[in-house]
Amino acid sequence: PGSSNTPTKRLPVESWIEICSRLLAGLSKENISIELFGTISEKKACGKIKNALQSAFCIDRSGKTTLVELMKSLKEIDLLLCNDSGSMHLANCLGTPVLALFGPTDPASTGPIFNSPKIILESSPSNRVRVNWGVDIGEVEQAAYGLIPSLKSK
């Protein structure tokens, strides 16, 4: 849920909680887990998300992975839902489907560049100067289902 070098690129923790709650409620449990990746500095945010979800299907891996371990995990997951971050670029490079949420940054300049499945959801250019940018949670949920339709509950 973070971006170590630019905190304004972070979607608010409350939004991550709502997105993850909806995905856990709407996705087939035998096919899903939510893994939270981040640096040590992002442990507090990841902990808030995990504690709010209260689900055995949510695993907090923040501050627990090396770069090599992160890349291996990104290669194995079905979808990376993220902010504009280094993990977004790694997953995109590895061919993992990416659903990237852009607030204050411009995806034309800093978005994923490799030819692998991706959806970019962004705030309007006029809202990019706001620190607390909004996101349509329903749009995020539907985009996730669009990238990985086999995960949707029957």
Side-chain angles (χ1 to χ4, degrees):
S3 174
S4 294
N5 63 345
T6 312
T8 57
K9 294 194 294 187
R10 295 179 189 157
L11 188 66
V13 168
E14 296 75 21
S15 297
W16 283 115
I17 292 168
E18 187 173 349
I19 291 167
C20 292
S21 293
R22 284 194 187 198
L23 291 175
L24 282 171
L27 295 174
S28 174
K29 296 294 188 293
E30 61 272 0
N31 292 334
I32 185 174
S33 66
I34 291 178
E35 295 185 44
L36 304 171
F37 294 99
T39 63
I40 293 211
S41 66
E42 295 159 333
K43 282 189 77 55
K44 185 176 178 181
C46 291
K48 284 183 180 180
I49 296 166
K50 177 159 179 50
N51 290 338
L53 295 176
Q54 297 182 2
S55 171
F57 297 100
C58 181
I59 303 157
D60 181 1
R61 298 183 65 192
S62 60
K64 299 176 185 171
T65 57
T66 65
L67 181 58
V68 172
E69 292 166 337
L70 173 63
M71 292 179 69
K72 182 178 183 214
S73 294
L74 291 175
K75 184 68 178 159
E76 293 172 351
I77 62 175
D78 294 312
L79 171 68
L80 178 68
L81 173 55
C82 58
N83 298 316
D84 174 13
S85 63
S87 295
M88 172 195 70
H89 294 290
L90 290 172
N92 177 238
C93 175
L94 293 167
T96 300
V98 170
L99 174 49
L101 309 177
F102 277 76
T105 53
D106 181 3
S109 299
T110 63
I113 61 170
F114 295 98
N115 189 21
S116 59
K118 60 186 162 280
I119 294 176
I120 297 171
L121 300 178
E122 62 181 302
S123 62
S124 68
S126 63
N127 287 337
R128 285 203 181 111
V129 297
R130 297 183 339 176
V131 172
N132 192 11
W133 46 280
V135 64
D136 181 334
I137 304 298
E139 186 178 6
V140 174
E141 182 181 20
Q142 291 308 308
Y145 296 150
L147 280 170
I148 310 294
S150 62
L151 295 180
K152 181 78 171 129
S153 293
K154 305 288 183 233

